[in-house]
Amino acid sequence: MKLLPAKYIIEQALKRRALRRGAKVLETSSGTFALGLAVVCRELGLQLEIFTDPAMDKGLENRLRSLGSEVFIVTDKAREGGYQRSRLDALHARMRLLGNACFWPRQYESPDNPAAYKYFGDQISDMLGADVTLVGSVGSGGSTCGTIEVLRRDSPGARLIGVDTFNSVIFCQPDGERKLRGLGNSLVPKNVKHELYDEVHFTSASLAFAATRALHERHAVFAGPTSGASYIVGHWRARKFPNETVVVICPDEGHRYVEAVYDEEWRKQNGCFDQGVLLDAPASEEHPATALPPWNRYCWNRRTREAVLKSLEEL
């Protein structure tokens, strides 16, 4: 999936001459956007440098290097903003050194990220109509916000449900350690347009791992935990509102998790839910800041983040 925005951002940068041949592409990522960039840069003969942290699995690191990318692992964790802040600091230091000989795709703030999903939104509309309920995990905000904006051009009532994890600041949770990679953030991305979301669900890592196994065993979809998290939310929504057409975005593949989520011994060691006892429904809280694991639902009602934070003061 990340090939879509990676390809679009790079092509637009070349078209605008913001990226010139011979310049290096620099980005901060610990997941599949890095892989998407690596594929595109390899295809176009561009140099790529990725700034990541120890959470990047060795398999992905090896794939990036095999595609010709340089990988810099940042080991110092910033007091505020965590590894995401320290990765950005390292990237900025490298940009100052390279000057005009580099380009930063800015997946978390570039408008080209959500704009890339016009193709996907059009596909959904052509196949199913625009009046759907879209469910997707939220990392940069590109896929969910970009897709729903396309759908709402034809159907303003199309619904958007964001899936986040606990200890992510995007939807007002306090920042903290997160075992579920690929969604959530210690910084609020500019590409997350909060006023587009109707609901937000928070899922724990263990619940997402169990849902990932269920997605594979029930439907033969070999995906990763961010897909599992979105699947359990979409499955619940479809049962609760059977007249809706529910579309679930599955953004990651399963290959990176063969020795983790798909390994029985690993799951036992990490205290994961058994996929046979998946929860039937989420709990609800008066405010997302007080939501607790393993699964919580909050009616966001297309408000800004500031408005939802203010509502906490009024409780």
Side-chain angles (χ1 to χ4, degrees):
M1 182 179 110
K2 295 294 186 179
L3 274 169
L4 188 62
K7 183 176 176 64
Y8 188 81
I9 290 171
I10 294 298
E11 287 180 345
Q12 291 300 307
L14 289 168
K15 184 178 179 180
R16 299 176 187 132
R17 300 184 68 80
L19 169 60
R20 299 175 183 271
R21 299 288 178 179
K24 289 189 174 183
V25 178
L26 276 58
E27 185 57 285
T28 168
S29 173
S30 62
T32 48
F33 187 70
L35 183 60
L37 281 175
V39 172
V40 174
C41 288
R42 183 73 169 193
E43 180 184 43
L44 298 177
L46 298 168
Q47 293 179 291
L48 173 65
E49 295 183 4
I50 292 294
F51 294 82
T52 187
D53 59 66
M56 176 177 281
D57 61 276
K58 193 64 179 177
L60 177 58
E61 182 186 344
N62 289 341
R63 291 178 73 182
L64 293 173
R65 294 189 189 279
S66 73
L67 288 167
S69 306
E70 291 189 72
V71 181
F72 298 95
I73 299 177
V74 178
T75 56
D76 293 330
K77 188 176 182 180
R79 183 171 298 178
E80 293 185 10
Y83 280 122
Q84 285 169 319
R85 170 50 59 192
S86 55
R87 280 162 32 185
L88 280 170
D89 291 344
L91 182 145
H92 286 308
R94 181 65 170 155
M95 289 180 67
R96 287 193 295 270
L97 185 64
L98 293 175
N100 293 327
C102 65
F103 170 73
W104 178 22
R106 301 172 184 259
Q107 65 158 321
Y108 292 102
E109 56 188 83
S110 169
D112 286 336
N113 183 350
Y117 290 92
K118 178 182 184 303
Y119 308 108
F120 180 50
D122 287 341
Q123 280 185 315
I124 293 174
S125 186
D126 290 344
M127 293 173 63
L128 303 169
D131 184 22
V132 302
T133 298
L134 183 70
V135 179
S137 57
V138 183
S140 69
S143 61
T144 50
C145 293
T147 305
I148 200 65
E149 285 184 316
V150 174
L151 295 171
R152 284 182 182 163
R153 290 173 191 169
D154 295 327
S155 180
R159 297 152 297 279
L160 176 61
I161 300 177
V163 182
D164 200 357
T165 189
F166 296 95
N167 298 330
S168 164
V169 304
I170 297 178
F171 295 102
C172 305
Q173 275 267 300
D175 189 24
E177 293 291 333
R178 295 183 298 276
K179 292 183 179 180
L180 193 53
R181 307 293 297 184
L183 69 162
N185 214 307
S186 293
L187 303 170
V188 181
K190 292 183 180 179
N191 274 333
V192 177
K193 298 179 181 178
H194 294 83
E195 64 276 11
L196 296 177
Y197 294 88
D198 296 286
E199 282 185 21
V200 175
H201 287 240
F202 301 95
T203 64
S204 67
S206 57
L207 181 63
F209 295 157
T212 303
R213 286 293 300 267
L215 179 61
H216 183 243
E217 295 182 10
R218 297 175 186 176
H219 306 285
V221 175
F222 185 51
T226 53
S227 297
S230 297
Y231 162 68
I232 193 172
V233 173
H235 190 250
W236 168 82
R237 181 78 186 194
R239 295 197 316 272
K240 186 173 178 63
F241 300 96
N243 293 327
E244 292 182 2
T245 299
V246 179
V247 177
V248 176
I249 300 175
C250 293
D252 55 356
E253 57 184 20
H255 305 289
R256 293 171 59 195
Y257 305 97
V258 170
E259 296 180 357
V261 177
Y262 291 95
D263 182 79
E264 187 74 31
E265 193 60 35
W266 183 93
R267 293 199 312 279
K268 289 179 181 178
Q269 292 174 0
N270 286 269
C272 297
F273 279 101
D274 186 297
Q275 64 105 3
V277 292
L278 285 175
L279 301 180
D280 290 329
S284 296
E285 293 289 334
E286 292 187 27
H287 195 275
T290 59
L292 296 173
W295 182 9
N296 210 281
R297 172 199 184 203
Y298 180 73
C299 293
W300 193 269
N301 293 329
R302 304 192 187 187
R303 290 174 290 170
T304 65
R305 188 172 184 272
E306 291 71 24
V308 173
L309 282 171
K310 186 177 180 181
S311 69
L312 177 61
E313 301 172 1
E314 299 169 353
L315 290 177

